[in-house]
Amino acid sequence: MAAVTSSFSFSTLTQSSQRNLTLSSNSQTFRFRVGFSCHYVGVRASNFASRTLVRCSSSVSDPPTVSQTKLNFLKAYKRPIPSIYNSVLQELIVQQHLMRYKRSYRYDPVFALGFVTVYEQLMEGYPSDEDREAIFQAYIQALNEDPEQYRVDAKKLEEWARAQNPTSLVEFSSREGEVEGLLKDIAERAGGKGDFSYSRFFAIGLFRLLELANAMEPTILEKLCAVLNVNKRSVDRDLDVYRNLLSKLVQAKELLKEYVDREKKKREERIEPQKTNEAITQQQFSG
């Protein structure tokens, strides 16, 4: 069966005339190769048994390999996943594995909000809401983390951000509160008083806070980065990548829809003459 294919790399944006899309930056590289067709693709665990074992420095004494993390995901969620989603998920879990097992890694709610935001954008339009949540659970569990904590913390930050305005958002350090305390802890660790590993998911989490607080002015982002002790240049770069990626994902899903609609029309055109012939035959017999 013919397939529609796009290629994504979550990292400066270049684009070829064939809609093979590559995003690249000097920091972390998220390479998304998205191939899709109108059928569902099942993935066997053996497909991911890599001969090359990738190990990462982390606070975990014996971190798992990338292949082990992939196998954990496949064991936790055994149903087939449409390939437009599965291809991106497999690339994404490799990159998050590398973040997860860095020596400086420490979970934080802003990171969780960023990942949940990316996941929801990626899986928007998935055929089943129940399966979409089951995939989320399996994905986070494969990384030896708690999916409920991701959901709870993301929701907590979203509710908090909706109650903020541009001024109160950047002045969180002057107030007491649960979320304010979490942000103060991040600022201290990012300032060198503990483990902190900046990532693209963290940048997207910041973007989501700004979005919900209706604080999209560039000066607000600059102030928020300053109080959190985060490099704004890195955040700007990663947010540009994120926006471009979302745009390309929309294009890919539009291509998929066009392809499915076209194939459906072809099937209907093939079936229609058959129905007509059957109707004529029935009339002849009845006559």
Side-chain angles (χ1 to χ4, degrees):
M1 179 180 294
V4 184
T5 303
S6 292
S7 173
F8 293 91
S9 172
F10 194 163
S11 353
T12 32
L13 173 68
T14 60
Q15 180 173 346
S16 74
S17 60
Q18 298 178 340
R19 284 197 177 183
N20 290 327
L21 309 170
T22 303
L23 304 170
S24 60
S25 78
N26 294 328
S27 62
Q28 301 152 321
T29 299
F30 285 10
R31 186 171 301 280
F32 291 167
R33 299 184 184 278
V34 182
F36 54 87
S37 60
C38 65
H39 62 282
Y40 280 35
V41 176
V43 182
R44 294 181 179 177
S46 59
N47 290 347
F48 295 104
S50 174
R51 294 181 180 178
T52 304
L53 302 182
V54 180
R55 293 191 176 272
C56 315
S57 298
S58 75
S59 57
V60 179
S61 59
D62 187 23
T65 64
V66 170
S67 294
Q68 288 169 335
T69 294
K70 284 187 170 185
L71 287 171
N72 288 342
F73 173 66
L74 293 170
K75 288 176 182 177
Y77 187 82
K78 298 179 181 179
R79 299 187 64 182
I81 300 173
S83 58
I84 184 175
Y85 302 99
N86 187 61
S87 299
V88 181
L89 285 170
Q90 292 300 328
E91 293 286 351
L92 193 60
I93 201 169
V94 171
Q95 298 304 323
Q96 193 163 350
H97 171 100
L98 299 176
M99 296 179 206
R100 165 71 176 86
Y101 294 105
K102 285 177 66 175
R103 189 174 299 278
S104 59
Y105 174 80
R106 179 174 165 182
Y107 170 89
D108 71 62
V110 177
F111 175 95
L113 175 60
F115 174 76
V116 170
T117 299
V118 170
Y119 183 84
E120 293 300 329
Q121 292 281 357
L122 167 65
M123 301 297 282
E124 184 180 11
Y126 196 79
S128 166
D129 291 342
E130 182 179 348
D131 287 344
R132 180 172 59 187
E133 182 57 27
I135 293 169
F136 178 86
Q137 297 278 330
Y139 181 103
I140 300 299
Q141 289 170 356
L143 293 159
N144 293 314
E145 292 194 307
D146 183 359
E148 294 305 320
Q149 184 180 21
Y150 270 71
R151 287 294 192 193
V152 169
D153 286 345
K155 183 178 180 181
K156 186 185 303 178
L157 286 180
E158 286 178 337
E159 291 175 348
W160 178 85
R162 288 189 181 99
Q164 306 305 309
N165 58 52
T167 301
S168 66
L169 182 67
V170 299
E171 293 181 353
F172 68 84
S173 60
S174 65
R175 304 190 307 274
E176 297 298 325
E178 184 179 8
V179 172
E180 286 84 354
L182 293 171
L183 295 177
K184 290 176 189 178
D185 176 65
I186 291 171
E188 288 182 3
R189 291 188 288 110
K193 296 182 180 179
D195 289 336
F196 178 78
S197 179
Y198 171 81
S199 70
R200 187 159 289 129
F201 289 133
F202 184 88
I204 295 167
L206 290 184
F207 177 81
R208 183 62 175 153
L209 292 177
L210 294 168
E211 186 178 48
L212 292 172
N214 293 315
M216 301 301 288
E217 300 86 354
T219 56
I220 303 301
L221 175 59
E222 183 176 1
K223 291 177 181 178
L224 185 59
C225 288
V227 295
L228 287 171
N229 296 311
V230 175
N231 187 308
K232 182 178 179 293
R233 185 175 299 177
S234 297
V235 172
D236 283 337
R237 179 188 60 232
D238 289 337
L239 291 182
D240 284 342
V241 170
Y242 173 61
R243 295 185 191 100
N244 285 323
L245 175 65
L246 291 183
S247 174
K248 303 314 168 188
L249 283 173
V250 168
Q251 290 179 25
K253 290 179 182 180
E254 287 175 351
L255 283 173
L256 175 61
K257 184 179 184 301
E258 291 172 6
Y259 177 78
V260 172
D261 289 346
R262 186 166 60 250
E263 290 299 306
K264 181 180 179 182
K265 184 177 181 180
K266 288 180 181 178
R267 287 196 300 271
E268 291 174 347
E269 290 174 349
R270 289 194 297 267
I271 292 172
E272 191 60 35
Q274 182 179 348
K275 289 182 177 179
T276 302
N277 291 335
E278 289 176 353
I280 293 173
T281 302
Q282 288 178 355
Q283 290 177 356
Q284 290 173 343
F285 276 112
S286 61

